[in-house]
Amino acid sequence: MTQDKPKRIFVIWDSSQSDVRIQLQALERRPPPGTQLILPDADRTGGEYLQEVLLPGLNAADWVLFVGPATPSLTFELGVAVGLGKRVGYMGYMGGRIPYLLGMPSDRQQVDLNNLKVARVLLGVDAAWFESSLPQDQAVSGDDVVLCPESAEGAAIREEIKESPHHSEWSILNAWNQEQCRIATTARRLLWVILGDGKGGMTRIDENLGCALAAGVFCGSFWKRNLSGTPTLRVLRSREAALVRAAQRFESTFADLSDLARLLRGDEPIEPGTLTVESLEIRNFKSVKSLAIDLSQPSSLAGDWTCIAGINGAGKSSILQAICMLLLGEKLVAELGRERLKRMLRREGPERFEAELTLVLRDGEQLRTLFLPINENGVDGSKLYSHPDYSYMPECWERLQKQVLVSYGASRNLSEYKDSRYSSLSRQVQRQMTLFDPLAQIASVDVLLEGGNGTTTAVLKTLRQLLDRVLQGELAPSAETGSRILFDERGTAVEALDLPDGFRSTVAWLADLCAAWHQTAPPEETESCDPAKIRGIVLLDEIDLHLHPRLQRGLVPRLREALPLVQFIVTTHSPLVLSSFDRAELVVLDRDSEEGVRELDRQIIAFSTDQVYQWLMDTPPQSTVIEEKLARGEDTEAALLLYQSEDRNEAEAKVDIAERKQMIAELRRSSAKR
């Protein structure tokens, strides 16, 4: 005879209630017969608590135990449980009107936590648990609902919401009873305003609890109907009100009525268009303590380009990684892994500092701010959700997932090796991994290695056109037709894998860019397979990687012409590449500068390679070998080395030296005769 599985009881409680922690732990260790108590880590805060603790715990639970006293934070979590259709029980002093709001019979016995023996008995019987009469599995009605207290300043706030053009048709609920929760189960969108209790007394407390319960029911019923996705919940919290632990990812804060009005205006829909990077601020990220760079200076050259230069260790790759993470956003950044994010925090000895990354995007005529605070656990939800501009960040991140974003690290290459380590990640994150892992494969290598039909054929058609424009005679796709692309190298058809390193690397990232475009852009844009129509952002570390100087010299001008709608943010050490940029497009990192960036007072487009080395890169263009030979003064061949140049070979240098020696000897003899 098999024993019935114990009923799992998930506990909603406040860890600040130190007087009940020990009692709950005692119940957890010795639960009532036939039950298993799940006491979550209630010290967790922010979005992590909602996604990693509350929802998994509620979904796995048979019953849910609420431990009072009631607060908006705990009551919201209780509402989520009710919306999910869970049976609930009450322990300790409840306060407020929660039993009434849920339709709980007045004679329902409440578990008293102070008497553990009685509590164990009551928790083990069905009679101690109450099932809400709220409707379950209801279809969305399409109503847009506002939850906001009525008393005191609540009346003025409700009036402001009603006057907002984006909320004038929304229903503002007035009754703090079970009907309010019933409406919330079928709402399409919900705006929840949290006010401090202030001088409102029990009336305001009841109103805040009623709103919190209804907001939780809204979310819970959404998750019950939809196993994935995010409910359309907006939380506007007065800075005087306490945090709602599980709702911080939906939250913006306001100080007064003007601040609230600004947040309400922030609900204006963003017109579709390509988002581009305007500026970046980094604090305590890897080796960078503090840095701000502007990528929006007007240039005399075509396209949207920024080139970052600096010595090794100056932070070039770190800048690209910071931009990439900000463009990926809160949810996708988590896929990079907690340990990788932890390693990105700046350290001094054993101490790690929390990083803050801020990016300004241009969206048509508007500027949008993205923000990512990183701590040892990953993205700091509490700090992110309290940012004044958080309200529109999720929408920006959602739009960025629908446009081309590709990143390439300095070790990018093409190989037959099948790298499956990142196959479980979203495609958007896979396309950035070579920037974070030197052994990662470029995402769309299959385009070059396997070919194919359908979309892949269109990708290859786009790639052929792009290679013709970028490589211009240096390397040409073979005229041979078929699903797999070959290259013509000195009359021989060569596969991509067998190309020289520089060509292989360049072809690989260009192929991935074409694939990303075909996978993200609408069909009406991609049907022509014209690479000039590609829009998006490309982050490219060491753009000159493995390329012959002749191709380095022409690469950027050709890319400007071939991909006029792409924003490029690249790094390089090559003077030939650097001289392809307007000074407004150059970000020269300088550790000796107070701002960390060297201000350029002249154009270097007409500089020779030697001049770029000497003036911009503070590096003598000559080899140090000759300097060492001259310093020692022992090398009899030093003169021969100095006399050789692009105009004079070794044999000619020897003749010149012999003639010079003879001339000196004659001068010495003439001088001796005098």
Side-chain angles (χ1 to χ4, degrees):
M1 182 174 179
T2 59
Q3 188 176 6
D4 292 338
K5 292 177 62 176
K7 284 187 168 57
R8 292 160 297 184
I9 303 174
F10 183 85
V11 182
I12 294 175
W13 71 296
D14 183 355
S15 60
S16 66
Q17 298 175 263
S18 57
D19 55 332
V20 301
R21 182 185 292 269
I22 294 177
Q23 288 100 313
L24 285 175
Q25 289 175 338
L27 287 174
E28 182 184 29
R29 293 181 180 184
R30 291 178 294 280
T35 67
Q36 175 189 358
L37 211 66
I38 303 171
L39 190 62
D41 178 8
D43 293 323
R44 292 281 294 277
T45 59
E48 291 79 7
Y49 185 80
L50 175 65
Q51 296 291 343
E52 298 179 12
V53 178
L54 183 64
L55 282 178
L58 292 177
N59 282 323
D62 300 299
W63 294 340
V64 176
L65 178 64
F66 184 100
V67 178
T71 64
S73 184
L74 294 181
T75 306
F76 173 78
E77 296 174 25
L78 175 64
V80 174
V82 172
L84 287 170
K86 301 295 179 179
R87 296 184 70 186
V88 296
Y90 301 88
M91 176 177 283
Y93 168 69
M94 290 284 79
R97 300 162 62 185
I98 291 176
Y100 168 66
L101 288 172
L102 289 176
M104 177 180 176
S106 58
D107 60 351
R108 175 71 64 187
Q109 186 168 7
Q110 179 178 303
V111 177
D112 183 2
L113 183 61
N114 293 319
N115 191 325
L116 285 177
K117 290 184 178 180
V118 175
R120 282 196 179 92
V121 172
L122 290 176
L123 288 178
V125 298
D126 284 358
W129 302 92
F130 164 70
E131 191 163 3
S132 170
S133 60
L134 293 176
Q136 300 295 328
D137 299 321
Q138 295 293 306
V140 175
S141 68
D143 291 338
D144 297 326
V145 174
V146 177
L147 301 171
C148 179
E150 297 179 80
S151 59
E153 74 272 25
I157 289 175
R158 289 159 69 96
E159 184 177 288
E160 186 71 30
I161 294 171
K162 202 65 179 174
E163 292 298 318
S164 168
H166 305 296
H167 300 88
S168 58
E169 302 300 322
W170 289 41
S171 301
I172 303 181
L173 300 188
N174 297 307
W176 315 112
N177 53 33
Q178 189 179 11
E179 182 60 25
Q180 175 175 271
C181 295
R182 190 183 304 276
I183 294 172
T185 62
T186 60
R188 182 178 66 136
R189 293 183 292 177
L190 191 141
L191 174 66
W192 174 23
V193 180
I194 307 174
L195 302 179
D197 292 336
K199 299 179 181 178
M202 288 304 299
T203 300
R204 171 60 59 78
I205 292 173
D206 284 353
E207 290 177 344
N208 273 328
L209 293 178
C211 290
L213 187 67
V217 167
F218 166 75
C219 291
S221 61
F222 172 89
W223 281 311
K224 185 174 178 60
R225 294 189 303 263
N226 304 275
L227 297 180
S228 61
T230 304
T232 310
L233 171 66
R234 179 87 183 280
V235 180
L236 303 181
R237 179 177 61 85
S238 166
R239 293 179 184 173
E240 297 177 354
L243 285 170
V244 175
R245 174 175 57 187
Q248 284 182 266
R249 67 169 51 246
F250 306 105
E251 178 188 281
S252 300
T253 60
F254 65 94
D256 53 27
L257 203 60
S258 298
D259 209 11
L260 176 74
R262 180 185 62 80
L263 290 174
L264 293 173
R265 288 195 302 271
D267 282 342
E268 297 176 10
I270 304 174
E271 292 298 323
T274 302
L275 300 168
T276 56
V277 179
E278 286 276 301
S279 64
L280 172 73
E281 290 188 22
I282 301 174
R283 294 187 185 278
N284 295 322
F285 184 72
K286 301 185 76 173
S287 63
V288 180
K289 183 176 182 180
S290 179
L291 179 68
I293 59 175
D294 186 357
L295 290 75
S296 65
Q297 296 299 314
S299 168
S300 62
L301 302 177
D304 189 349
W305 282 76
T306 299
C307 181
I308 304 166
I311 63 173
N312 289 333
K316 300 187 299 299
S317 300
S318 298
I319 290 172
L320 294 186
Q321 289 176 338
I323 294 173
C324 179
M325 291 167 61
L326 282 157
L327 295 176
L328 284 175
E330 169 199 2
K331 295 180 181 178
L332 292 182
V333 158
E335 294 188 25
L336 294 177
R338 189 168 293 178
E339 283 303 312
R340 178 176 280 112
L341 295 178
K342 182 178 178 180
R343 293 198 305 270
M344 293 180 179
L345 303 179
R346 189 177 71 86
R347 287 190 285 186
E348 288 184 5
E351 184 177 5
R352 293 180 188 266
F353 297 89
E354 294 187 0
E356 291 187 355
L357 310 177
T358 306
L359 189 75
V360 175
L361 288 174
R362 175 160 293 283
D363 180 23
E365 297 300 317
Q366 300 186 47
L367 296 179
R368 307 281 182 181
T369 299
L370 299 180
F371 175 65
L372 276 183
I374 309 293
N375 60 25
E376 293 191 358
N377 294 317
V379 177
D380 185 339
S382 298
K383 195 175 288 186
L384 173 62
Y385 307 138
S386 61
H387 192 281
D389 297 319
Y390 177 74
S391 58
Y392 56 73
M393 290 183 198
E395 186 171 359
C396 284
W397 284 322
E398 184 177 347
R399 288 177 59 197
L400 284 164
Q401 291 183 42
K402 298 175 182 177
Q403 74 176 52
V404 173
L405 169 63
V406 287
S407 305
Y408 307 106
S411 60
R412 60 189 178 273
N413 216 321
L414 189 63
S415 169
E416 287 181 301
Y417 172 68
K418 300 288 186 181
D419 184 4
S420 60
R421 292 175 300 150
Y422 302 116
S423 58
S424 63
L425 304 184
S426 60
R427 194 60 169 167
Q428 184 82 326
V429 176
Q430 290 180 35
R431 294 200 183 281
Q432 325 306 322
M433 286 311 300
T434 64
L435 192 60
F436 298 94
D437 180 356
L439 299 180
Q441 279 273 38
I442 287 180
S444 296
V445 293
D446 54 317
V447 170
L448 292 169
L449 300 184
E450 301 173 9
N453 297 311
T455 302
T456 303
T457 301
V459 171
L460 292 177
K461 184 177 179 180
T462 304
L463 178 60
R464 287 174 180 272
Q465 296 185 58
L466 185 55
L467 291 174
D468 284 339
R469 300 174 193 182
V470 173
L471 298 182
Q472 293 186 5
E474 301 284 349
L475 179 71
S478 173
E480 180 181 335
T481 59
S483 61
R484 194 167 181 175
I485 193 168
L486 299 175
F487 298 87
D488 186 357
E489 190 175 29
R490 298 179 181 179
T492 302
V494 176
E495 294 195 20
L497 276 172
D498 298 319
L499 290 172
D501 284 350
F503 285 134
R504 192 166 65 244
S505 170
T506 303
V507 168
W509 76 258
L510 289 175
D512 186 64
L513 171 60
C514 294
W517 180 55
H518 277 274
Q519 291 172 9
T520 57
E524 57 269 23
E525 287 187 22
T526 60
E527 60 184 358
S528 67
C529 295
D530 182 1
K533 294 184 178 180
I534 297 177
R535 297 176 180 272
I537 299 173
V538 174
L539 308 177
L540 186 56
D541 204 2
E542 306 294 359
I543 187 174
D544 55 291
L545 186 68
H546 302 311
L547 291 176
H548 185 278
R550 185 170 64 246
L551 190 52
Q552 291 183 32
R553 183 173 180 268
L555 180 62
V556 172
R558 293 172 188 174
L559 286 171
R560 289 183 191 272
E561 184 177 352
L563 299 166
L565 304 180
V566 173
Q567 181 181 23
F568 280 91
I569 304 173
V570 305
T571 73
T572 190
H573 288 109
S574 168
L576 289 168
V577 172
L578 287 168
S579 59
S580 300
F581 291 97
D582 186 291
R583 68 177 179 179
E585 299 173 322
L586 288 170
V587 176
V588 182
L589 302 180
D590 184 356
R591 289 179 173 177
D592 295 330
S593 169
E594 185 175 344
E595 293 79 18
V597 177
R598 177 180 172 185
E599 190 75 26
L600 301 185
D601 61 359
R602 66 200 70 184
Q603 294 284 9
I604 66 167
I605 294 174
F607 277 27
S608 69
T609 302
D610 285 358
Q611 289 172 322
V612 174
Y613 273 130
Q614 193 79 52
W615 184 82
L616 185 66
M617 306 176 78
D618 193 26
T619 302
Q622 298 88 0
S623 166
T624 59
V625 175
I626 187 63
E627 295 176 358
E628 293 171 356
K629 287 179 176 292
L630 292 173
R632 288 197 300 266
E634 300 171 352
D635 195 331
T636 58
E637 296 296 319
L640 181 59
L641 297 174
L642 289 171
Y643 267 74
Q644 295 178 56
S645 69
E646 69 271 17
D647 299 321
R648 186 186 290 113
N649 62 26
E650 184 175 346
E652 292 169 334
K654 287 180 178 180
V655 172
D656 286 346
I657 290 173
E659 290 176 351
R660 184 62 58 89
K661 285 181 178 180
Q662 184 178 355
M663 184 184 301
I664 293 173
E666 290 176 355
L667 288 173
R668 285 176 175 172
R669 284 195 298 269
S670 298
S671 176
K673 290 178 181 179
R674 292 175 187 170

